[in-house]
Amino acid sequence: MRTDQLILNVNVYNSYYKKFNLGNVAVKDGRFLYIGTLGTETFEADEIIEGEGRTMVPGLIDIHLHIESTMITPETFSYGILRHGVTTIVPEPHEMANVFGVEGVHEMIRASEDCEVDMFYAIPSSVPATTLETTGGSIEIADIDQLMQSERMICLGEVMNYVDVIRDPDGKSNQILQHIRTHYPDLVIEGHTPKLLELDLHRLIYAGIDSDHTHQSLEGLAARIAAGMFIEIQEKSMTPDVVDYLIQHPVGEHFCFVTDDVMTDSLVATGHLDHLVRKAIAMGMSPADAVYAATFTPSRRMKMNDRGMIAPNKIADFLLLSDLATFEIDAVYKRGIQVYDQHNPLPQREPLPRFPAHFYNSVKLGLMTAADFEVRPEQPDGRYGCRVMMVNNVSTFTDELHGEAEVRGGQLQWQESGYGLIATFERYGMNGNRAYGLIGGATIKRGAIATTYSHDNHNLLVVGHNPEDMAVAANAVISSQGGFCVVCEGKIIASLDLTVGGILTEEPLEKTAAQVSALRSAMESLGYDHYNPIMSISTHSLPVSPALKITDLGLIDVGAGKVVPLLFPLSEA
């Protein structure tokens, strides 16, 4: 019998029994034809691949991620993750949608068309994430219909405004959910449900949201699975107690691994979804179960029944591993064709501009001076209680601290408060809004950082300890049409230009990774104490992530879903 490829002598992973069996595999027309003991006596193959006893597992599938979080284009992202065994992804481009609306979604899909990794896009459901911020674009019900009719959309992306779902039956989130349930009843609906329990959690599930990818506690994990939720475990949820629970309880059908947000330097240095598989195995999960959670369950969650397993008629995406315990990848195959060889990796092709001209001109702000970081509150001179955003060093959540600050000469004397200043500036030319807050905890202790990579509105966000450094950092970002800049004593010590929508670079993977690594080091040199300082600062403006955040409308009490004042009477402190 003629076949295209015949892979001999491999330990083949069987997803249905979660076992490895020594045998041979025949591939025809990009799909698996046969798995078993028959070999060259039965098959005449155009290509024979000597397995040499290596382990063969399905290509990895990541069903929840944001390409924009890695700050590179889809083409570069595909090149970067393929070497880590990831052959199919479900990206949700809500970052680009927040900048350009539905056009941003279409252009991300266009930029993905020639990628070797299969990309099935999620419809951004929460653009903007709340009504408490200004963005460059929005996604409305009409846009969802257009995307469903014109593009290959696989699910409704994470419904982020859980407060709106629970408290406002007529709000935008519930209107979208009702529309999806009525017109696209088979479409998978993804969720974002941090810390919710009991009735609030069940009300969210009742609304049709039946997955969660946010930071899991043991209590929250158990409650979600018990209520029928599918859990997408990212690295920050891989605590010893959570992983042990996944190992000790029969919940293998109810979770998978996802990456969500991966920095470019981490992608190059430690990997992608393969890193989570290795970590799970190192924490005591059996290799069979870890592979299952990165291949079979994610494919089933997204109804991709043509992949995620090595079986007849399934797409022949697979990896050859030299060591299962360490998940050492020798080679990656897409539809039976080798696309990565660890011993002979191909260099990245020179990236080309992929986006419309106006995507490179999205920052509509003039240059700033130190005066832009003077805070002039409405309150008369005197001492006040103040809300302080306290940065957590183990998550992207923040805490609200009540401190004291003085208004003197009509200005908030924030430099005397013991805290830094956080400021955000609407950058789309919509309304000129700006807002200020105080910040402490695990953030920088001197200098300044400015960025337009600020989830999800991507307005200009500046954190600092003196107005002069803050102005230098802000102006560098404005002049480069977006990016990151770290300043100390008036000098730029690290920067990254993100010229596509203020959130992406078209530079090659290795160059960007080096710049991101330098950026991380510069932030840490100013006292930032966080496992991922870039993601930490970029979520200070995310008004669906607990507890106190900031947008161009002001400080946001995330739990209450409302703007709250920076200053209040000392008697209320």
Side-chain angles (χ1 to χ4, degrees):
M1 179 181 292
R2 294 287 308 179
T3 63
D4 298 320
Q5 292 88 22
L6 182 63
I7 305 97
L8 300 174
N9 189 29
V10 282
N11 281 298
V12 185
Y13 180 66
N14 185 294
S15 303
Y16 305 103
Y17 282 97
K18 295 186 185 179
K19 290 183 178 180
F20 296 90
N21 301 307
L22 186 64
N24 307 317
V25 178
V27 175
K28 184 176 178 63
D29 297 329
R31 292 176 295 151
F32 294 114
L33 171 65
Y34 170 81
I35 301 93
T37 57
L38 299 179
T40 52
E41 77 286 354
T42 302
F43 299 104
E44 184 179 348
D46 295 336
E47 178 187 14
I48 291 180
I49 301 167
E50 296 292 345
E52 300 175 330
R54 289 176 290 179
T55 301
M56 183 176 181
V57 301
L60 306 184
I61 299 173
D62 192 335
I63 62 171
H64 184 92
L65 61 80
H66 309 282
I67 294 173
E68 303 100 312
S69 292
T70 314
M71 299 182 283
I72 51 181
T73 62
E75 180 181 14
T76 300
F77 191 76
S78 173
Y79 169 80
I81 64 174
L82 202 60
R83 64 178 61 189
H84 295 291
V86 182
T87 55
T88 300
I89 62 174
V90 178
E92 192 211 320
H94 71 228
E95 315 298 352
M96 195 64 83
N98 271 281
V99 182
F100 296 112
V102 72
E103 182 188 15
V105 180
H106 286 301
E107 292 301 331
M108 285 293 284
I109 294 172
R110 295 289 81 75
S112 306
E113 288 177 341
D114 297 327
C115 295
E116 289 184 292
V117 171
D118 289 334
M119 300 186 183
F120 299 91
Y121 274 80
I123 300 172
S125 67
S126 305
V127 179
T130 71
T131 58
L132 303 174
E133 58 195 317
T134 302
T135 60
S138 66
I139 298 293
E140 307 299 331
I141 288 175
D143 299 318
I144 291 173
D145 288 337
Q146 181 200 113
L147 289 167
M148 286 296 294
Q149 293 161 14
S150 63
E151 304 285 5
R152 186 171 61 170
M153 313 307 293
I154 199 168
C155 68
L156 184 69
E158 57 180 303
V159 180
M160 300 183 71
N161 195 346
Y162 55 90
V163 174
D164 190 44
V165 174
I166 294 168
R167 299 184 183 177
D168 188 358
D170 299 319
K172 180 179 176 180
S173 296
N174 279 309
Q175 290 177 25
I176 289 174
L177 286 168
Q178 180 60 40
H179 186 78
I180 294 296
R181 291 195 302 265
T182 301
H183 297 279
Y184 313 104
D186 295 328
L187 193 68
V188 174
I189 299 174
E190 292 286 271
H192 173 106
T193 62
K195 296 189 175 182
L196 292 185
L197 292 169
E198 294 293 342
L199 181 58
D200 283 347
L201 175 64
H202 287 218
R203 289 177 67 183
L204 210 73
I205 299 171
Y206 181 80
I209 300 168
D210 62 351
S211 78
D212 184 29
H213 70 279
T214 60
H215 193 171
Q216 299 296 326
S217 66
L218 190 59
E219 179 188 20
L221 174 72
R224 281 155 176 72
I225 293 176
M229 264 193 162
F230 185 83
I231 310 301
E232 296 162 3
I233 299 288
Q234 53 177 300
E235 185 173 12
K236 64 185 178 183
S237 291
M238 293 179 70
T239 56
D241 57 343
V242 166
V243 173
D244 186 63
Y245 186 91
L246 298 174
I247 294 171
Q248 299 299 330
H249 293 78
V251 295
E253 303 303 319
H254 306 296
F255 80 94
C256 73
F257 295 124
V258 300
T259 57
D260 196 10
D261 306 296
V262 175
M263 293 292 103
T264 323
D265 57 340
S266 296
L267 172 60
V268 171
T270 61
H272 197 257
L273 199 60
D274 60 322
H275 169 62
L276 272 64
V277 173
R278 275 192 295 274
K279 184 169 184 174
I281 294 171
M283 294 179 74
M285 187 175 290
S286 74
D289 286 341
V291 170
Y292 194 78
T295 56
F296 190 84
T297 52
S299 67
R300 288 297 175 92
R301 167 66 185 169
M302 287 296 159
K303 303 179 181 179
M304 294 187 287
N305 296 321
D306 61 349
R307 67 193 67 210
M309 57 221 81
I310 299 171
N313 199 36
K314 306 302 181 184
I315 291 174
D317 293 350
F318 63 92
L319 320 178
L320 293 179
L321 309 177
S322 56
D323 189 318
L324 176 60
T326 60
F327 212 74
E328 184 72 23
I329 300 172
D330 264 7
V332 180
Y333 290 78
K334 280 289 295 170
R335 291 174 169 80
I337 305 298
Q338 188 177 51
V339 291
Y340 171 73
D341 180 353
Q342 182 188 32
H343 306 291
N344 187 30
L346 296 175
Q348 182 181 358
R349 293 176 298 186
E350 187 68 26
L352 298 173
R354 293 280 187 179
F355 296 90
H358 64 281
F359 275 47
Y360 303 89
N361 186 32
S362 65
V363 180
K364 312 293 187 182
L365 283 171
L367 296 181
M368 297 184 175
T369 68
D372 289 293
F373 300 97
E374 296 174 354
V375 183
R376 298 182 178 275
E378 297 177 352
Q379 290 88 344
D381 287 4
R383 291 196 67 79
Y384 294 88
C386 61
R387 288 180 170 84
V388 184
M389 183 189 302
M390 298 298 289
V391 178
N392 191 320
N393 66 355
V394 295
S395 80
T396 54
F397 297 162
T398 63
D399 298 311
E400 178 178 322
L401 174 73
H402 288 180
E404 291 187 22
E406 183 177 357
V407 177
R408 188 171 66 241
Q411 292 188 34
L412 177 67
Q413 303 300 308
W414 63 267
Q415 287 180 271
E416 300 175 8
S417 69
Y419 305 109
L421 182 70
I422 182 169
T424 185
F425 302 85
E426 185 274 315
R427 57 100 161 180
Y428 300 104
M430 300 283 190
N431 52 39
N433 283 350
R434 57 178 61 187
Y436 301 94
L438 297 176
I439 189 167
T443 188
I444 58 172
K445 306 302 184 288
R446 61 187 185 279
I449 306 169
T451 184
T452 50
Y453 176 79
S454 53
H455 298 296
D456 280 342
N457 49 68
H458 300 294
N459 286 312
L460 177 65
L461 184 75
V462 189
V463 172
H465 283 269
N466 68 79
E468 293 75 22
D469 281 355
M470 296 177 82
V472 172
N475 288 338
V477 171
I478 293 168
S479 298
S480 62
Q481 277 298 305
F484 264 99
C485 184
V486 183
V487 172
C488 186
E489 297 179 350
K491 295 181 180 179
I492 296 173
I493 59 175
S495 64
L496 172 66
D497 292 348
L498 300 173
T499 56
V500 182
I503 58 176
L504 297 183
T505 177
E506 291 180 316
E507 294 293 340
L509 177 67
E510 299 289 344
K511 178 179 179 180
T512 303
Q515 290 179 307
V516 170
S517 180
L519 192 67
R520 187 193 298 260
S521 296
M523 295 172 69
E524 292 170 347
S525 76
L526 298 184
Y528 217 122
D529 177 24
H530 197 278
Y531 68 90
N532 188 342
I534 295 173
M535 186 54 61
S536 172
I537 194 171
S538 72
T539 53
H540 291 351
S541 54
L542 183 59
V544 294
S545 175
L548 185 68
K549 296 298 170 78
I550 190 169
T551 74
D552 61 301
L553 271 64
L555 290 174
I556 308 298
D557 180 329
V558 176
K562 65 179 183 180
V563 177
V564 292
L566 169 59
L567 301 179
F568 52 87
L570 273 176
S571 60
E572 298 177 10

